[in-house]
Amino acid sequence: MNMANAALPTECAVAVECGPVGDFGVDADGGKIVVTNPADHSVLVLNRDTLAVEGSIAVPQPFAALVADDRAYVTAATEGTDGVAVLDTNTMSVIATYPLAFSITALAISPDGKRVYAGRTGTDRVDIAVIDTTAERVGTIDIAHGPGISADAVRVDPLGRRLYVATTDARGSQLVIVDIETAQVEGSVWIGSPIRDLALGADATAYVLSSDRAHGGIVDVVDLAAKRITDTVTLGGAPTQLVLSTDGARVYVVDYDRVVVLCALTNELLETVQVGARPSCVAATRDRLYVADYSGGISVFSVSTESPMLYSQFLATDPIAVPELVTSA
């Protein structure tokens, strides 16, 4: 397939001078972005529209981040244990901490924001710690056992009924399907190469990103009801993350030095976008794409749809003035 190279016009950009961005979450309703800076042991809260820094919160080695209803859920690591810190994005404070056994390798949140699911990797086992944020208690769902096994990604379906866990062990990788109500594994889909990320689309469809040295990057389209792969898109490169647009029309894939745009309807590669620095993660809202990088920068790009649910185009807009950053220790 032919892909067009695009020089992505920037709507606004900011240099977050706290080291590489580990992850970030965008709150479409609350208008905020939460940015983790593992090297700086800090979490920044930014205005979603202007990228102005609204505050800084001290968190030990934060990495994965989720945002919902003026709350941020961030993985935090200390010398002795991993945990999930709950942050109030209005008061810029840590309001709760849940220390958890094993290493936390993935996070997901229920549609109503009442449960946080932490994928944990222990010695030859993986499970899910279920944090009930209302009752402030933690439960566990056992997922799988095996030599060298790890949990690589976790997602919850839009109805909050099923949990999808990507696991990788010495034999390869699979997508494990869990009934949340019964806390039981109800099936799996074999993938093969190590899974880097996954996204859930409409009509019980999953997009599973995997990669290894032999095959490069691959996106498998999985029919979750039938529990089988229906299509495979070969990307090459060394991709690490993907995110689905809010309308379900596009898949944005973070590669080594670019963002690849995939049509979710036809599974065709639409274009590859070259960005100024090596991207680390992406997030999408209805009309914007956010790209963070290992240089400590975040860029925002306008996204429109030429034909509904068919094709994406990045548009230049008038620059937004970004004030000088002032961060607190």
Side-chain angles (χ1 to χ4, degrees):
M1 300 178 185
N2 293 324
M3 289 193 297
N5 290 321
L8 198 61
T10 307
E11 180 181 287
C12 61
V14 67
V16 180
E17 298 176 354
C18 298
V21 175
D23 192 18
F24 64 158
V26 179
D27 184 358
D29 296 324
K32 295 181 180 180
I33 301 175
V34 170
V35 181
T36 63
N37 305 286
D40 190 58
H41 300 282
S42 67
V43 176
L44 296 183
V45 179
L46 278 61
N47 181 282
R48 184 196 63 193
D49 297 320
T50 66
L51 298 188
V53 174
E54 297 184 352
S56 176
I57 306 169
V59 177
Q61 292 187 10
F63 193 78
L66 301 170
V67 188
D69 299 328
D70 297 325
R71 295 287 186 270
Y73 304 90
V74 178
T75 59
T78 63
E79 186 176 348
T81 184
D82 282 3
V84 174
V86 184
L87 315 180
D88 187 317
T89 58
N90 290 320
T91 63
M92 308 297 168
S93 61
V94 178
I95 59 175
T97 303
Y98 296 90
L100 300 174
F102 312 134
S103 298
I104 303 173
T105 51
L107 278 185
I109 192 167
S110 62
D112 61 8
K114 295 181 179 180
R115 291 183 176 181
V116 175
Y117 300 91
R120 303 189 298 181
T121 297
T123 303
D124 297 339
R125 63 173 292 184
V126 296
D127 65 16
I128 301 295
V130 183
I131 301 173
D132 187 324
T133 59
T134 301
E136 298 185 343
R137 60 189 179 190
V138 180
T140 303
I141 301 175
D142 195 34
I143 300 298
H145 297 76
I149 194 168
S150 63
D152 304 311
V154 178
R155 295 291 181 269
V156 187
D157 75 356
L159 297 177
R161 295 176 179 173
R162 284 177 174 80
L163 194 66
Y164 299 91
V165 184
T167 68
T168 301
D169 61 17
R171 300 169 299 168
S173 65
Q174 60 183 329
L175 182 62
V176 180
I177 304 170
V178 180
D179 185 306
I180 291 178
E181 183 175 353
T182 64
Q184 297 295 314
V185 173
E186 62 178 29
S188 63
V189 180
W190 178 259
I191 301 298
S193 297
I195 296 174
R196 308 303 178 184
D197 205 355
L198 69 98
L200 302 181
D203 301 324
T205 299
Y207 299 88
V208 182
L209 175 66
S210 63
S211 69
D212 57 23
R213 291 184 178 181
H215 304 94
I218 293 173
V219 175
D220 286 311
V221 183
V222 178
D223 183 328
L224 296 173
K227 298 182 178 63
R228 65 184 182 90
I229 296 173
T230 58
D231 200 357
T232 297
V233 183
T234 301
L235 301 175
T240 56
Q241 190 202 31
L242 85 169
V243 67
L244 192 67
S245 63
T246 56
D247 62 3
R250 300 165 299 281
V251 180
Y252 301 108
V253 182
V254 175
D255 204 345
Y256 180 79
D257 59 356
R258 60 180 182 166
V259 176
V260 176
V261 186
L262 174 68
C263 177
L265 294 183
T266 64
N267 299 328
E268 293 181 337
L269 301 177
L270 297 177
E271 58 187 315
T272 177
V273 177
Q274 303 296 332
V275 291
R278 182 183 172 190
S280 60
C281 47
V282 294
T285 59
R286 182 183 60 82
D287 56 355
R288 287 180 168 186
L289 178 69
Y290 298 80
V291 182
D293 60 57
Y294 287 105
S295 297
I298 300 175
S299 300
V300 184
F301 309 103
S302 292
V303 179
S304 73
T305 305
E306 287 186 337
S307 178
M309 296 291 289
L310 183 59
Y311 187 74
S312 67
Q313 181 182 22
F314 298 102
L315 299 178
T317 65
D318 293 334
I320 295 177
V322 180
E324 181 180 357
L325 293 181
V326 178
T327 61
S328 58

